[in-house]
Amino acid sequence: MAKAPVLTPRAEDFPRWYQDVINKAELADNGPVRGTMVIRPYGYGLWERMQREMDARIKAAGAENAYFPLFIPQSYLTREAEHVEGFAPELAVVTHGGGKELEEPVVVRPTSETIVNEYFAKWVQSYRDLPLLINQWANVVRWEMRPRVFLRTSEFLWQEGHTAHATYEDARDYAARIHREVYADFMENVLAMDVVLGRKTPGERFAGAVNTLTLEGMMGDGKALQMGTSHELGQNFAKAFDTRYLSEDGERELVWQTSWGTSTRMVGGLIMTHGDDDGLRIPPRLAPVQAVVLAIKGDDAVLAKVREVGDRLTAAGVRVRVDDRTDTPFGRRAVDWELKGVPLRVEIGPRDLESGTAMLVRRIAGGKEPVATDTLAELCPRILEEDQALLLRRSRERREARTSDVRTVEEAVEAAAGGWARVPWADLGPEGEARLAEQGVTVRCLVGEDGSVPESDDAPGTVAVVARSY
């Protein structure tokens, strides 16, 4: 009788496979309140690596980290009508505290544009205070009716940037810079995820924004996942909160603003983009553990060699875990590391000591071969970079192979059954967008014919990228 697979095959049931990976790779558990999650150490290690890489890019773009309160007076949200209308169904509202009814209900932070503007209005006095570039790492709460771990949870972790500028052009260019130099660079060069950069249609924009830039990734089942957004807020929030500055001409002017964010949804995207029927495959540049060195037997000489190889790889700049838990069967440990997607396994046993080799197993490219132990420190960094590039290439090839150019709503719906469609926005328009939505298909973004980000919704040659999505 054939042995049952550790994971549900992706082709058989992709959603079930996704949940199996989260459980078996020990990434997260469901929290006690519906829609919440407990992120386990290995899953949180992935988020920490994402934070580190993103934070460096955000700071390189000139923003500084700060922190704003979790609780926001409900009246703040009502000041910007479109904003409160957009978030009303998702709000968690606190009405009692300390055993008493509150004089004013407070909202548990769904996003921070309103409370940030309350303080920007105090901090910005003159043009010399601009641009004001702030980022926050925090948790937010948006009540989710159909929760799914990492993808849609009522509470999730994220970073949210908020900026104020003296001119429309400066704000517009900064939103585009974050979109390109922070988000796209990170997702392509660290997550090894091919993403399409575009602008949202008016119907899909962030509530209160005048333009939303997005990054859309194709998952392993052909659906789209919004990986991050950067918004031009215009002067909407500045008007609501009277956020003004004294110009060089001595005039009191409203600031122009942006906001932008990415979240733990990226962990879900990582799983669905690179995972296979054996579990995770973590891009080497992201991986908390790039190589695990496993002792096959509990022999003293084997354990000594395993630790020596671990030290050599660490000295070569590889993030290493030494697995000398020989009281646990070797096969089980090997499967566990495979599930967790560690890029390289270096397996050493008594026979390997005799031959001066180790078995090198590649999780991403596949295959294994004996390698002289004294060459590992030179070989492994090169293989890790090769496999990083391989994941990005496969992600791009999948997106290109499963994207069709079509002309009608009917053709777009058919193409979205297993991938994406590109349809001229002039042929589709808001009416066609509404017809797509009736079929469970959405316009993910607008792009130029050459793949560039259009400067306006109706720019000549604008193409709508449509898909089913998470």
Side-chain angles (χ1 to χ4, degrees):
M1 184 176 178
K3 186 177 180 181
V6 176
L7 304 173
T8 302
R10 290 187 305 160
E12 180 180 310
D13 188 336
F14 194 85
R16 182 62 193 172
W17 165 84
Y18 174 79
Q19 195 60 49
D20 283 353
V21 171
I22 289 173
N23 293 335
K24 298 290 186 179
E26 299 179 335
L27 299 179
D29 271 323
N30 289 313
V33 175
R34 186 178 181 275
T36 62
M37 63 177 169
V38 175
I39 305 176
R40 300 184 66 175
Y42 192 70
Y44 199 81
L46 294 174
W47 176 240
E48 284 182 314
R49 289 286 309 160
M50 291 179 181
Q51 280 185 301
R52 186 174 305 171
E53 292 281 353
M54 289 277 291
D55 198 59
R57 287 165 172 76
I58 288 168
K59 287 173 178 170
E64 297 179 290
N65 287 335
Y67 186 79
F68 292 84
L70 175 67
F71 296 125
I72 301 172
Q74 192 173 45
S75 60
Y76 283 19
L77 271 74
T78 63
R79 295 192 202 176
E80 213 291 322
E82 186 178 351
H83 189 68
V84 70
E85 181 181 351
F87 277 100
E90 302 174 320
L91 296 180
V93 182
V94 179
T95 59
H96 289 72
K100 298 179 180 179
E101 185 174 354
L102 301 179
E103 290 185 10
E104 178 184 354
V106 297
V107 172
V108 183
R109 173 175 54 217
T111 183
S112 298
E113 280 76 11
T114 57
I115 195 165
V116 164
N117 265 278
E118 177 73 11
Y119 287 88
F120 274 19
K122 295 180 180 180
W123 299 343
V124 175
Q125 299 299 321
S126 85
Y127 68 91
R128 297 183 184 87
D129 299 320
L130 299 173
L132 181 55
L133 313 175
I134 296 294
N135 178 62
Q136 172 175 238
W137 290 96
N139 62 336
V140 293
V141 172
R142 298 179 184 177
W143 213 255
E144 183 59 53
M145 296 297 103
R146 291 173 292 179
R148 199 162 184 193
V149 174
F150 288 122
L151 299 179
R152 291 188 177 277
T153 50
S154 295
E155 180 191 12
F156 54 90
L157 307 180
W158 78 344
Q159 59 74 211
E160 52 175 319
H162 301 274
T163 70
H165 305 260
T167 66
Y168 160 75
E169 291 79 12
D170 194 35
R172 176 201 62 197
D173 292 348
Y174 195 78
R177 180 181 181 185
I178 293 294
H179 189 222
R180 183 181 61 255
E181 295 181 15
V182 176
Y183 292 167
D185 181 76
F186 167 72
M187 290 168 194
E188 292 180 354
N189 293 316
V190 179
L191 296 188
M193 290 181 61
D194 174 71
V195 287
V196 169
L197 282 67
R199 63 186 287 141
K200 287 291 189 182
T201 63
E204 292 289 327
R205 283 179 193 150
F206 176 74
V210 298
N211 181 33
T212 290
L213 303 174
T214 184
L215 302 97
E216 303 287 330
M218 180 183 282
M219 303 297 98
D221 61 351
K223 290 184 179 180
L225 183 70
Q226 179 180 290
M227 296 293 294
T229 48
S230 182
H231 314 290
E232 297 174 39
L233 301 180
Q235 294 180 313
N236 290 344
F237 288 92
K239 290 175 182 176
F241 287 83
D242 198 32
T243 311
R244 298 176 182 270
Y245 71 98
L246 188 66
S247 71
E248 289 188 76
D249 298 329
E251 299 291 329
R252 295 288 296 171
E253 304 281 355
L254 290 168
V255 299
W256 298 83
Q257 293 184 269
T258 77
S259 67
W260 26 276
T262 56
S263 74
T264 39
R265 171 179 283 196
M266 292 189 293
V267 179
L270 179 80
I271 298 167
M272 295 193 295
T273 298
H274 300 313
D276 62 16
D277 284 347
D278 294 318
L280 289 168
R281 291 189 301 174
I282 306 297
R285 292 180 187 171
L286 177 74
V289 179
Q290 295 174 312
V292 59
V293 187
L294 290 93
I296 296 175
K297 298 284 187 180
D299 180 279
D300 287 345
V302 169
L303 294 175
K305 176 56 73 173
V306 162
R307 291 160 187 159
E308 176 193 324
V309 169
D311 289 342
R312 287 185 182 180
L313 290 175
T314 299
V318 178
R319 293 187 289 276
V320 177
R321 178 77 59 83
V322 170
D323 187 344
D324 54 7
R325 301 169 297 156
T326 52
D327 54 342
T328 300
F330 169 74
R332 177 179 172 182
R333 289 184 287 135
V335 168
D336 284 347
W337 288 115
E338 190 166 61
L339 282 166
K340 285 180 164 61
V342 172
L344 296 177
R345 296 203 311 271
V346 179
E347 302 172 353
I348 300 175
R351 293 181 183 177
D352 299 299
L353 289 184
E354 295 176 5
S355 61
T357 63
M359 187 63 70
L360 183 63
V361 184
R362 295 175 67 169
R363 178 67 182 89
I364 294 167
K368 57 183 178 181
E369 62 178 331
V371 173
T373 53
D374 60 4
T375 66
L376 284 168
E378 179 182 354
L379 183 62
C380 286
R382 177 172 59 79
I383 290 176
L384 291 169
E385 282 302 298
E386 288 177 2
D387 288 351
Q388 177 79 26
L390 177 61
L391 282 178
L392 178 59
R393 185 165 67 250
R394 287 178 175 172
S395 175
R396 181 166 293 132
E397 288 171 351
R398 177 175 60 244
R399 195 258 306 169
E400 291 174 347
R402 298 177 72 171
T403 299
S404 304
D405 287 306
V406 303
R407 302 289 303 194
T408 68
V409 168
E410 291 73 23
E411 290 173 336
V413 171
E414 183 179 354
W420 294 4
R422 288 164 40 100
V423 57
W425 180 240
D427 292 349
L428 189 65
E431 181 181 343
E433 184 178 18
R435 289 173 58 200
L436 283 174
E438 293 173 357
Q439 303 295 317
V441 178
T442 56
V443 176
R444 304 312 305 159
C445 62
L446 302 176
V447 300
E449 286 181 318
D450 60 356
S452 62
V453 179
E455 293 185 1
S456 65
D457 300 334
D458 56 358
T462 297
V463 176
V465 176
V466 307
R468 298 186 185 278
S469 64
Y470 286 96

